[in-house]
Amino acid sequence: MTITLDIPRTTDPARALRSELVERAATLGPLIAAGADRTDRERVVPAENIAALAEAGLLSLMQPARYGGLQSDYRTLLEVSREVGRACGSTAWLTSLLNANAWFVGLFPAQAQDDVWAHTPDARVAGVVTPSGTAHVVEGGYRVSGRWAPASGCAHADWAVLGVTRPDAEGTPDAVGMVLAPMSELAIEDTWFVAGMRGTASNTLVGEDTFVPAHRFHSVPDAVEGRYATPFTDEALYRAPFVPTAALVLTGPQLGLAAAAVDLLLEKAPRRALTLTSYASQAEAPTIQLAAAKAASLADSAQLHAYRAAADIDEAARTGVFPDYDARARMRMDAGMAAVHAREAVRIVCSAQGASSFGEANPLQRIWRDIETGSRHAVLNPEVAAEIYGKSLFGIRGTVSVMV
């Protein structure tokens, strides 16, 4: 099996831009880290974080260049969200999700994309693809009602992508899709009371009989199979496979949280004694050295899995060759394993640092809560991903989930 961690034909200018964008994220790190406790305590990413990310171009990575976006690639989004995640898990989560939802919009018909960005090119998009609402067919479009949660980024969004079912004349759902609706026509209910990723404010969106024109509906089964509605088929980014990308974008914050935990261990261990032992420094103790090695290696493993999936996704988009079921199953498995390895790296660091890891003043407790929560997003579920991948290795396909 060939293992590639970046697109072989990535150009030097593309790599230079990626490096510059990651550097911009690193430059914002101190600002974002300084507000991480407030973000967690107040259960929302501060507006100044969002403004700084937007000013740096880090919320337009997946927006079409036609509207002023950077239209980059998934390796770039991973690296940027990893860097932001080193400073704050919640801010990294929104960086990933606001970009991912911009990519969703890039799959819609031209008129829908114009609705969002033609007059407001800096419009941001939140979303919940799970079909938690209904779209009743009416003249010219749909009347949409429902409740959608968790809607990460809704506090900072202008539009929302909403998963719906579309009943036929007898009321039986005949289609699953996603629609685009302006936030001004939706209500937000404060329902996000959780242990980790508190700052994402992933609250519940509520729509009541909202009219959505027909061009703002996109079939999810078509998207899963790579049949996108965008007429701009020469734009490589919007040929990327739907489900693998939806899973992969969630791993960037996990990579950053794992890296931050390892950094904290390496920073603190030389300056602390190992309680109830003769070691004057934790860094001198083999038990801490082994923990550091295991945690760092697991963080690396998470990154390698995620970067491999990103490389395959970006290469498929570049060539316009839609990956087959088995390849998509392996990409989803890669995303799940990245989340598991990153979470385990943080757990090892917490164990090495002992009970003090969970002190309220210790940033490690927030990292631990964030990764324990964020890594358990449904589309990252490693057991489901393993079942899909394992069956695919035996030639059994399509029996677990349509989301492959």
Side-chain angles (χ1 to χ4, degrees), residues 1 224-225 241 244 308 312 322-334 385-399 404:
M1 176 184 291
V224 169
E225 295 297 329
R308 180 173 71 166
D312 289 347
F322 194 74
D324 63 21
Y325 183 95
D326 295 341
R328 300 195 317 266
R330 205 265 297 149
M331 292 176 201
R332 183 168 170 176
M333 184 76 194
D334 274 353
E387 186 177 350
I388 292 169
Y389 185 45
K391 287 182 187 298
S392 77
L393 291 173
F394 288 103
I396 304 168
R397 300 175 181 85
T399 61
V404 178

Side-chain angles (χ1 to χ4, degrees), residues 269-346:
R271 295 187 281 110
R272 297 180 59 190
L274 189 59
T275 306
L276 300 179
T277 75
S278 59
Y279 288 110
S281 159
Q282 291 182 352
E284 298 172 0
T287 181
I288 301 298
Q289 295 165 357
L290 290 172
K294 290 177 182 174
S297 182
L298 282 165
D300 287 346
S301 296
Q303 192 166 315
L304 291 170
H305 274 95
Y307 283 9
R308 180 173 71 166
D312 289 347
I313 288 170
D314 287 336
E315 179 68 359
R318 189 191 67 80
T319 60
V321 178
F322 194 74
D324 63 21
Y325 183 95
D326 295 341
R328 300 195 317 266
R330 205 265 297 149
M331 292 176 201
R332 183 168 170 176
M333 184 76 194
D334 274 353
M337 290 310 298
V340 168
H341 287 325
R343 187 171 68 215
E344 182 64 6
V346 174

Side-chain angles (χ1 to χ4, degrees), residues 61-82:
L61 302 177
M62 299 285 111
Q63 183 186 26
R66 287 176 282 107
Y67 301 105
L70 291 171
Q71 197 175 310
S72 60
D73 58 30
Y74 278 93
R75 173 65 180 266
T76 300
L77 178 56
L78 266 190
E79 291 200 33
V80 167
S81 54
R82 175 183 183 272

